[in-house]
Amino acid sequence: MTDSFMGFSQRAFEFLEGLAAHNTKAFFDSQRDTHKSEIADPAKLHVDALAIELPARVHPRLRGEARVGRSLFRISRDTRFSTDKTPRQDAHRLPLLGR
């Protein structure tokens, strides 16, 4: 992992496409290292980069926090109350927080 966000690699998009096509525990388990290196680690850097730029460029009360439950979503979906019962999310989402 580098110290600054350099974008998401082609491998990250290939992983997400594969997950959309094969959204199973077996597929994800076989690709867990790819998820960490190509999605999770760069996503943290992405949030860190946005956390610096958003207040200055968009609104002073916008902020980002590079941890799950704040500005990062879990890859595993909570299917208890959802009509979508696929086990994993096949997209990268970043919620922005207001102060």
PDB file of all heavy atoms in Angstrom, residues 69-96:
ATOM      1  N   GLY A  69     -17.990   1.590   8.982  1.00  0.00           N
ATOM      2  CA  GLY A  69     -19.008   2.135   9.876  1.00  0.00           C
ATOM      3  C   GLY A  69     -19.053   3.654   9.848  1.00  0.00           C
ATOM      4  O   GLY A  69     -19.992   4.252  10.350  1.00  0.00           O
ATOM      5  N   ARG A  70     -18.051   4.260   9.280  1.00  0.00           N
ATOM      6  CA  ARG A  70     -18.043   5.711   9.132  1.00  0.00           C
ATOM      7  C   ARG A  70     -18.095   6.043   7.636  1.00  0.00           C
ATOM      8  O   ARG A  70     -19.150   6.141   7.071  1.00  0.00           O
ATOM      9  CB  ARG A  70     -16.809   6.329   9.816  1.00  0.00           C
ATOM     10  CG  ARG A  70     -16.756   6.054  11.311  1.00  0.00           C
ATOM     11  CD  ARG A  70     -17.969   6.547  12.067  1.00  0.00           C
ATOM     12  NE  ARG A  70     -18.022   7.994  12.043  1.00  0.00           N
ATOM     13  CZ  ARG A  70     -19.101   8.707  12.324  1.00  0.00           C
ATOM     14  NH1 ARG A  70     -20.204   8.125  12.671  1.00  0.00           N
ATOM     15  NH2 ARG A  70     -19.078  10.000  12.255  1.00  0.00           N
ATOM     16  N   SER A  71     -16.942   6.157   6.980  1.00  0.00           N
ATOM     17  CA  SER A  71     -16.927   6.489   5.553  1.00  0.00           C
ATOM     18  C   SER A  71     -16.666   5.277   4.663  1.00  0.00           C
ATOM     19  O   SER A  71     -16.494   5.425   3.469  1.00  0.00           O
ATOM     20  CB  SER A  71     -15.872   7.558   5.267  1.00  0.00           C
ATOM     21  OG  SER A  71     -16.253   8.773   5.873  1.00  0.00           O
ATOM     22  N   LEU A  72     -16.630   4.106   5.221  1.00  0.00           N
ATOM     23  CA  LEU A  72     -16.457   2.885   4.441  1.00  0.00           C
ATOM     24  C   LEU A  72     -17.550   1.887   4.792  1.00  0.00           C
ATOM     25  O   LEU A  72     -17.891   1.727   5.965  1.00  0.00           O
ATOM     26  CB  LEU A  72     -15.086   2.249   4.716  1.00  0.00           C
ATOM     27  CG  LEU A  72     -13.871   3.070   4.315  1.00  0.00           C
ATOM     28  CD1 LEU A  72     -12.602   2.407   4.844  1.00  0.00           C
ATOM     29  CD2 LEU A  72     -13.803   3.217   2.812  1.00  0.00           C
ATOM     30  N   PHE A  73     -18.083   1.231   3.778  1.00  0.00           N
ATOM     31  CA  PHE A  73     -19.077   0.190   3.986  1.00  0.00           C
ATOM     32  C   PHE A  73     -18.396  -1.167   4.092  1.00  0.00           C
ATOM     33  O   PHE A  73     -17.347  -1.396   3.492  1.00  0.00           O
ATOM     34  CB  PHE A  73     -20.055   0.122   2.800  1.00  0.00           C
ATOM     35  CG  PHE A  73     -21.087   1.197   2.809  1.00  0.00           C
ATOM     36  CD1 PHE A  73     -20.950   2.309   1.993  1.00  0.00           C
ATOM     37  CD2 PHE A  73     -22.205   1.097   3.605  1.00  0.00           C
ATOM     38  CE1 PHE A  73     -21.903   3.299   1.979  1.00  0.00           C
ATOM     39  CE2 PHE A  73     -23.171   2.080   3.606  1.00  0.00           C
ATOM     40  CZ  PHE A  73     -23.028   3.192   2.790  1.00  0.00           C
ATOM     41  N   ARG A  74     -19.010  -2.077   4.814  1.00  0.00           N
ATOM     42  CA  ARG A  74     -18.565  -3.469   4.820  1.00  0.00           C
ATOM     43  C   ARG A  74     -18.860  -4.072   3.462  1.00  0.00           C
ATOM     44  O   ARG A  74     -19.835  -3.718   2.821  1.00  0.00           O
ATOM     45  CB  ARG A  74     -19.321  -4.279   5.864  1.00  0.00           C
ATOM     46  CG  ARG A  74     -19.127  -3.819   7.273  1.00  0.00           C
ATOM     47  CD  ARG A  74     -19.905  -4.720   8.243  1.00  0.00           C
ATOM     48  NE  ARG A  74     -20.006  -4.127   9.546  1.00  0.00           N
ATOM     49  CZ  ARG A  74     -19.016  -4.038  10.422  1.00  0.00           C
ATOM     50  NH1 ARG A  74     -17.847  -4.513  10.100  1.00  0.00           N
ATOM     51  NH2 ARG A  74     -19.178  -3.477  11.588  1.00  0.00           N
ATOM     52  N   ILE A  75     -18.037  -5.033   3.049  1.00  0.00           N
ATOM     53  CA  ILE A  75     -18.293  -5.735   1.790  1.00  0.00           C
ATOM     54  C   ILE A  75     -19.471  -6.694   1.958  1.00  0.00           C
ATOM     55  O   ILE A  75     -20.240  -6.916   1.037  1.00  0.00           O
ATOM     56  CB  ILE A  75     -17.027  -6.467   1.272  1.00  0.00           C
ATOM     57  CG1 ILE A  75     -17.259  -7.060  -0.112  1.00  0.00           C
ATOM     58  CG2 ILE A  75     -16.586  -7.553   2.224  1.00  0.00           C
ATOM     59  CD1 ILE A  75     -17.127  -6.101  -1.234  1.00  0.00           C
ATOM     60  N   SER A  76     -19.632  -7.259   3.159  1.00  0.00           N
ATOM     61  CA  SER A  76     -20.732  -8.194   3.405  1.00  0.00           C
ATOM     62  C   SER A  76     -22.024  -7.422   3.618  1.00  0.00           C
ATOM     63  O   SER A  76     -22.058  -6.449   4.362  1.00  0.00           O
ATOM     64  CB  SER A  76     -20.440  -9.063   4.627  1.00  0.00           C
ATOM     65  OG  SER A  76     -19.298  -9.846   4.393  1.00  0.00           O
ATOM     66  N   ARG A  77     -23.064  -7.879   2.973  1.00  0.00           N
ATOM     67  CA  ARG A  77     -24.361  -7.220   3.038  1.00  0.00           C
ATOM     68  C   ARG A  77     -25.167  -7.802   4.204  1.00  0.00           C
ATOM     69  O   ARG A  77     -25.161  -9.003   4.436  1.00  0.00           O
ATOM     70  CB  ARG A  77     -25.098  -7.488   1.725  1.00  0.00           C
ATOM     71  CG  ARG A  77     -26.418  -6.809   1.578  1.00  0.00           C
ATOM     72  CD  ARG A  77     -27.146  -7.257   0.312  1.00  0.00           C
ATOM     73  NE  ARG A  77     -26.335  -7.233  -0.884  1.00  0.00           N
ATOM     74  CZ  ARG A  77     -26.127  -6.168  -1.645  1.00  0.00           C
ATOM     75  NH1 ARG A  77     -26.647  -5.017  -1.332  1.00  0.00           N
ATOM     76  NH2 ARG A  77     -25.391  -6.251  -2.734  1.00  0.00           N
ATOM     77  N   ASP A  78     -25.877  -6.963   4.926  1.00  0.00           N
ATOM     78  CA  ASP A  78     -26.818  -7.418   5.952  1.00  0.00           C
ATOM     79  C   ASP A  78     -28.115  -7.755   5.237  1.00  0.00           C
ATOM     80  O   ASP A  78     -28.850  -6.859   4.813  1.00  0.00           O
ATOM     81  CB  ASP A  78     -27.034  -6.329   6.998  1.00  0.00           C
ATOM     82  CG  ASP A  78     -27.948  -6.761   8.126  1.00  0.00           C
ATOM     83  OD1 ASP A  78     -28.507  -7.874   8.052  1.00  0.00           O
ATOM     84  OD2 ASP A  78     -28.110  -5.990   9.080  1.00  0.00           O
ATOM     85  N   THR A  79     -28.382  -9.023   5.081  1.00  0.00           N
ATOM     86  CA  THR A  79     -29.538  -9.455   4.289  1.00  0.00           C
ATOM     87  C   THR A  79     -30.788  -9.697   5.126  1.00  0.00           C
ATOM     88  O   THR A  79     -31.823 -10.064   4.571  1.00  0.00           O
ATOM     89  CB  THR A  79     -29.207 -10.750   3.516  1.00  0.00           C
ATOM     90  OG1 THR A  79     -28.878 -11.775   4.458  1.00  0.00           O
ATOM     91  CG2 THR A  79     -28.055 -10.528   2.559  1.00  0.00           C
ATOM     92  N   ARG A  80     -30.733  -9.484   6.412  1.00  0.00           N
ATOM     93  CA  ARG A  80     -31.879  -9.803   7.268  1.00  0.00           C
ATOM     94  C   ARG A  80     -33.149  -9.074   6.854  1.00  0.00           C
ATOM     95  O   ARG A  80     -34.224  -9.665   6.864  1.00  0.00           O
ATOM     96  CB  ARG A  80     -31.558  -9.474   8.726  1.00  0.00           C
ATOM     97  CG  ARG A  80     -30.469 -10.347   9.308  1.00  0.00           C
ATOM     98  CD  ARG A  80     -30.112  -9.907  10.694  1.00  0.00           C
ATOM     99  NE  ARG A  80     -29.559  -8.540  10.621  1.00  0.00           N
ATOM    100  CZ  ARG A  80     -29.328  -7.784  11.673  1.00  0.00           C
ATOM    101  NH1 ARG A  80     -29.602  -8.210  12.887  1.00  0.00           N
ATOM    102  NH2 ARG A  80     -28.825  -6.570  11.530  1.00  0.00           N
ATOM    103  N   PHE A  81     -33.054  -7.809   6.522  1.00  0.00           N
ATOM    104  CA  PHE A  81     -34.250  -7.020   6.221  1.00  0.00           C
ATOM    105  C   PHE A  81     -34.267  -6.501   4.792  1.00  0.00           C
ATOM    106  O   PHE A  81     -35.007  -5.590   4.466  1.00  0.00           O
ATOM    107  CB  PHE A  81     -34.354  -5.844   7.198  1.00  0.00           C
ATOM    108  CG  PHE A  81     -34.245  -6.265   8.629  1.00  0.00           C
ATOM    109  CD1 PHE A  81     -33.102  -5.988   9.362  1.00  0.00           C
ATOM    110  CD2 PHE A  81     -35.255  -6.982   9.235  1.00  0.00           C
ATOM    111  CE1 PHE A  81     -32.984  -6.395  10.679  1.00  0.00           C
ATOM    112  CE2 PHE A  81     -35.156  -7.397  10.557  1.00  0.00           C
ATOM    113  CZ  PHE A  81     -34.021  -7.103  11.280  1.00  0.00           C
ATOM    114  N   SER A  82     -33.428  -7.070   3.950  1.00  0.00           N
ATOM    115  CA  SER A  82     -33.287  -6.591   2.577  1.00  0.00           C
ATOM    116  C   SER A  82     -33.942  -7.546   1.590  1.00  0.00           C
ATOM    117  O   SER A  82     -33.950  -8.759   1.793  1.00  0.00           O
ATOM    118  CB  SER A  82     -31.801  -6.461   2.241  1.00  0.00           C
ATOM    119  OG  SER A  82     -31.631  -6.106   0.903  1.00  0.00           O
ATOM    120  N   THR A  83     -34.477  -6.992   0.521  1.00  0.00           N
ATOM    121  CA  THR A  83     -34.987  -7.850  -0.546  1.00  0.00           C
ATOM    122  C   THR A  83     -33.849  -8.406  -1.383  1.00  0.00           C
ATOM    123  O   THR A  83     -33.997  -9.433  -2.035  1.00  0.00           O
ATOM    124  CB  THR A  83     -35.964  -7.084  -1.460  1.00  0.00           C
ATOM    125  OG1 THR A  83     -35.293  -5.933  -1.973  1.00  0.00           O
ATOM    126  CG2 THR A  83     -37.203  -6.661  -0.684  1.00  0.00           C
ATOM    127  N   ASP A  84     -32.692  -7.732  -1.358  1.00  0.00           N
ATOM    128  CA  ASP A  84     -31.499  -8.205  -2.069  1.00  0.00           C
ATOM    129  C   ASP A  84     -30.742  -9.152  -1.139  1.00  0.00           C
ATOM    130  O   ASP A  84     -30.164  -8.730  -0.152  1.00  0.00           O
ATOM    131  CB  ASP A  84     -30.620  -7.019  -2.457  1.00  0.00           C
ATOM    132  CG  ASP A  84     -29.409  -7.432  -3.276  1.00  0.00           C
ATOM    133  OD1 ASP A  84     -29.149  -8.651  -3.407  1.00  0.00           O
ATOM    134  OD2 ASP A  84     -28.724  -6.535  -3.773  1.00  0.00           O
ATOM    135  N   LYS A  85     -30.762 -10.429  -1.440  1.00  0.00           N
ATOM    136  CA  LYS A  85     -30.154 -11.436  -0.568  1.00  0.00           C
ATOM    137  C   LYS A  85     -28.753 -11.858  -1.011  1.00  0.00           C
ATOM    138  O   LYS A  85     -28.200 -12.820  -0.491  1.00  0.00           O
ATOM    139  CB  LYS A  85     -31.057 -12.681  -0.480  1.00  0.00           C
ATOM    140  CG  LYS A  85     -32.446 -12.398   0.072  1.00  0.00           C
ATOM    141  CD  LYS A  85     -32.400 -11.924   1.503  1.00  0.00           C
ATOM    142  CE  LYS A  85     -33.810 -11.716   2.048  1.00  0.00           C
ATOM    143  NZ  LYS A  85     -33.810 -11.119   3.373  1.00  0.00           N
ATOM    144  N   THR A  86     -28.151 -11.138  -1.973  1.00  0.00           N
ATOM    145  CA  THR A  86     -26.784 -11.476  -2.350  1.00  0.00           C
ATOM    146  C   THR A  86     -25.862 -11.195  -1.166  1.00  0.00           C
ATOM    147  O   THR A  86     -26.036 -10.190  -0.472  1.00  0.00           O
ATOM    148  CB  THR A  86     -26.319 -10.693  -3.589  1.00  0.00           C
ATOM    149  OG1 THR A  86     -26.505  -9.306  -3.363  1.00  0.00           O
ATOM    150  CG2 THR A  86     -27.085 -11.127  -4.835  1.00  0.00           C
ATOM    151  N   PRO A  87     -24.882 -12.069  -0.919  1.00  0.00           N
ATOM    152  CA  PRO A  87     -24.090 -11.946   0.304  1.00  0.00           C
ATOM    153  C   PRO A  87     -23.088 -10.795   0.343  1.00  0.00           C
ATOM    154  O   PRO A  87     -22.722 -10.333   1.415  1.00  0.00           O
ATOM    155  CB  PRO A  87     -23.355 -13.283   0.390  1.00  0.00           C
ATOM    156  CG  PRO A  87     -23.340 -13.813  -0.991  1.00  0.00           C
ATOM    157  CD  PRO A  87     -24.565 -13.274  -1.672  1.00  0.00           C
ATOM    158  N   ARG A  88     -22.641 -10.316  -0.817  1.00  0.00           N
ATOM    159  CA  ARG A  88     -21.632  -9.260  -0.843  1.00  0.00           C
ATOM    160  C   ARG A  88     -22.083  -8.094  -1.719  1.00  0.00           C
ATOM    161  O   ARG A  88     -22.806  -8.285  -2.687  1.00  0.00           O
ATOM    162  CB  ARG A  88     -20.306  -9.776  -1.414  1.00  0.00           C
ATOM    163  CG  ARG A  88     -19.769 -11.035  -0.792  1.00  0.00           C
ATOM    164  CD  ARG A  88     -18.921 -10.772   0.435  1.00  0.00           C
ATOM    165  NE  ARG A  88     -18.382 -11.939   1.094  1.00  0.00           N
ATOM    166  CZ  ARG A  88     -19.073 -12.924   1.651  1.00  0.00           C
ATOM    167  NH1 ARG A  88     -20.362 -12.949   1.582  1.00  0.00           N
ATOM    168  NH2 ARG A  88     -18.476 -13.910   2.279  1.00  0.00           N
ATOM    169  N   GLN A  89     -21.616  -6.896  -1.397  1.00  0.00           N
ATOM    170  CA  GLN A  89     -21.881  -5.729  -2.230  1.00  0.00           C
ATOM    171  C   GLN A  89     -20.890  -5.729  -3.378  1.00  0.00           C
ATOM    172  O   GLN A  89     -19.696  -5.948  -3.166  1.00  0.00           O
ATOM    173  CB  GLN A  89     -21.739  -4.460  -1.406  1.00  0.00           C
ATOM    174  CG  GLN A  89     -22.743  -4.412  -0.264  1.00  0.00           C
ATOM    175  CD  GLN A  89     -22.697  -3.106   0.456  1.00  0.00           C
ATOM    176  OE1 GLN A  89     -22.737  -2.052  -0.152  1.00  0.00           O
ATOM    177  NE2 GLN A  89     -22.619  -3.176   1.775  1.00  0.00           N
ATOM    178  N   ASP A  90     -21.360  -5.473  -4.571  1.00  0.00           N
ATOM    179  CA  ASP A  90     -20.487  -5.535  -5.747  1.00  0.00           C
ATOM    180  C   ASP A  90     -20.132  -4.146  -6.271  1.00  0.00           C
ATOM    181  O   ASP A  90     -19.895  -3.951  -7.451  1.00  0.00           O
ATOM    182  CB  ASP A  90     -21.111  -6.388  -6.843  1.00  0.00           C
ATOM    183  CG  ASP A  90     -22.451  -5.868  -7.309  1.00  0.00           C
ATOM    184  OD1 ASP A  90     -22.902  -4.830  -6.787  1.00  0.00           O
ATOM    185  OD2 ASP A  90     -23.049  -6.496  -8.200  1.00  0.00           O
ATOM    186  N   ALA A  91     -20.079  -3.183  -5.360  1.00  0.00           N
ATOM    187  CA  ALA A  91     -19.689  -1.815  -5.715  1.00  0.00           C
ATOM    188  C   ALA A  91     -18.954  -1.202  -4.527  1.00  0.00           C
ATOM    189  O   ALA A  91     -19.071  -1.668  -3.398  1.00  0.00           O
ATOM    190  CB  ALA A  91     -20.911  -0.978  -6.067  1.00  0.00           C
ATOM    191  N   HIS A  92     -18.207  -0.178  -4.790  1.00  0.00           N
ATOM    192  CA  HIS A  92     -17.474   0.552  -3.757  1.00  0.00           C
ATOM    193  C   HIS A  92     -18.246   1.837  -3.476  1.00  0.00           C
ATOM    194  O   HIS A  92     -18.488   2.620  -4.387  1.00  0.00           O
ATOM    195  CB  HIS A  92     -16.063   0.839  -4.273  1.00  0.00           C
ATOM    196  CG  HIS A  92     -15.279   1.774  -3.432  1.00  0.00           C
ATOM    197  ND1 HIS A  92     -14.964   1.509  -2.125  1.00  0.00           N
ATOM    198  CD2 HIS A  92     -14.742   2.983  -3.710  1.00  0.00           C
ATOM    199  CE1 HIS A  92     -14.255   2.514  -1.636  1.00  0.00           C
ATOM    200  NE2 HIS A  92     -14.125   3.426  -2.585  1.00  0.00           N
ATOM    201  N   ARG A  93     -18.642   2.045  -2.234  1.00  0.00           N
ATOM    202  CA  ARG A  93     -19.422   3.230  -1.875  1.00  0.00           C
ATOM    203  C   ARG A  93     -18.710   3.988  -0.750  1.00  0.00           C
ATOM    204  O   ARG A  93     -18.159   3.398   0.144  1.00  0.00           O
ATOM    205  CB  ARG A  93     -20.807   2.813  -1.404  1.00  0.00           C
ATOM    206  CG  ARG A  93     -21.616   2.138  -2.481  1.00  0.00           C
ATOM    207  CD  ARG A  93     -22.905   1.563  -1.897  1.00  0.00           C
ATOM    208  NE  ARG A  93     -23.715   0.952  -2.900  1.00  0.00           N
ATOM    209  CZ  ARG A  93     -23.615  -0.314  -3.300  1.00  0.00           C
ATOM    210  NH1 ARG A  93     -22.714  -1.086  -2.758  1.00  0.00           N
ATOM    211  NH2 ARG A  93     -24.399  -0.798  -4.225  1.00  0.00           N
ATOM    212  N   LEU A  94     -18.802   5.307  -0.821  1.00  0.00           N
ATOM    213  CA  LEU A  94     -18.207   6.157   0.209  1.00  0.00           C
ATOM    214  C   LEU A  94     -19.237   7.165   0.694  1.00  0.00           C
ATOM    215  O   LEU A  94     -19.529   8.127  -0.003  1.00  0.00           O
ATOM    216  CB  LEU A  94     -17.010   6.929  -0.346  1.00  0.00           C
ATOM    217  CG  LEU A  94     -15.803   6.133  -0.785  1.00  0.00           C
ATOM    218  CD1 LEU A  94     -14.800   7.059  -1.473  1.00  0.00           C
ATOM    219  CD2 LEU A  94     -15.169   5.438   0.374  1.00  0.00           C
ATOM    220  N   PRO A  95     -19.790   6.983   1.884  1.00  0.00           N
ATOM    221  CA  PRO A  95     -20.678   8.015   2.401  1.00  0.00           C
ATOM    222  C   PRO A  95     -19.864   9.206   2.918  1.00  0.00           C
ATOM    223  O   PRO A  95     -18.772   9.030   3.445  1.00  0.00           O
ATOM    224  CB  PRO A  95     -21.402   7.319   3.556  1.00  0.00           C
ATOM    225  CG  PRO A  95     -20.464   6.246   3.987  1.00  0.00           C
ATOM    226  CD  PRO A  95     -19.683   5.840   2.773  1.00  0.00           C
ATOM    227  N   LEU A  96     -20.394  10.379   2.736  1.00  0.00           N
ATOM    228  CA  LEU A  96     -19.743  11.587   3.246  1.00  0.00           C
ATOM    229  C   LEU A  96     -20.468  12.033   4.495  1.00  0.00           C
ATOM    230  O   LEU A  96     -21.689  12.014   4.553  1.00  0.00           O
ATOM    231  CB  LEU A  96     -19.774  12.682   2.185  1.00  0.00           C
ATOM    232  CG  LEU A  96     -19.134  12.286   0.850  1.00  0.00           C
ATOM    233  CD1 LEU A  96     -19.305  13.394  -0.151  1.00  0.00           C
ATOM    234  CD2 LEU A  96     -17.674  11.937   1.040  1.00  0.00           C
TER     235      LEU A  96
END
